[in-house]
Amino acid sequence: LGAVMGAEQSSRAAALPPDQRYSAEYGDTTSNDSFTLYSIRVFNPEGQLLSEVQRRYSEHVKLHDVISEKYPHHSPSLPGQVLWGRFDAEFIEKRRAQLQEYTNLVLTLEPTPRTAALRGFLQVWPDLESGPGDVIART
């Protein structure tokens, strides 16, 4: 059984490219009366666009919960939640820059996204099974 599990883990690891630095670039934002959506473009180390996604702040919080659990002593700080002024254009721009910095700091922890929650958040190999040490996002 151990040899079978080891072979499965090896095949999963081989499905991922070698560790290199991926990056996230935050672009436009869209707001309504309830929340703001942040557009994120994800690039591989060669600069090729891999995915474009839109994420709410609450989705960043869910990702942060998983990353903090996996890397308790190295997890970057997520910008704090606010109740007032969160739809102000100046605040949204500042938050966009902070979230971009946060996401790219997470990508320094995992130069190639390996945690299932991070892959799902960035929509990079979201259907790939989790590998050893991966933490699956809570729903």
Side-chain angles (χ1 to χ4, degrees):
L1 180 63
V4 172
M5 288 180 66
E8 288 175 354
Q9 289 175 350
S10 294
S11 67
R12 274 190 241 137
L16 293 172
D19 278 345
Q20 298 176 31
R21 179 87 163 53
Y22 283 65
S23 63
E25 180 181 288
Y26 281 53
D28 295 335
T29 58
T30 306
S31 296
N32 62 27
D33 291 339
S34 301
F35 58 85
T36 298
L37 282 173
Y38 299 89
S39 296
I40 307 168
R41 296 171 47 155
V42 182
F43 297 90
N44 69 12
E46 291 78 36
Q48 297 170 316
L49 179 65
L50 293 180
S51 70
E52 293 185 68
V53 296
Q54 290 189 321
R55 296 287 180 239
R56 296 170 59 164
Y57 176 78
S58 62
E59 292 172 290
H60 287 80
V61 171
K62 289 178 185 177
L63 173 65
H64 182 70
D65 289 346
V66 173
I67 295 299
S68 294
E69 186 175 319
K70 186 168 182 180
Y71 302 102
H73 302 293
H74 303 288
S75 176
S77 296
L78 183 67
Q81 187 172 10
V82 298
L83 298 176
W84 309 108
R86 64 184 183 174
F87 299 114
D88 176 69
E90 195 172 306
F91 171 79
I92 291 171
E93 176 54 29
K94 181 178 178 184
R95 168 66 55 89
R96 183 197 64 75
Q98 291 171 331
L99 291 174
Q100 177 174 304
E101 179 180 8
Y102 170 81
T103 303
N104 281 303
L105 286 171
V106 168
L107 287 168
T108 63
L109 294 173
E110 291 191 16
T112 296
R114 295 190 185 283
T115 302
L118 180 56
R119 291 193 316 261
F121 179 84
L122 298 173
Q123 288 298 293
V124 178
W125 320 296
D127 300 326
L128 188 65
E129 290 183 36
S130 62
D134 279 356
V135 179
I136 305 299
R138 298 177 202 80
T139 54

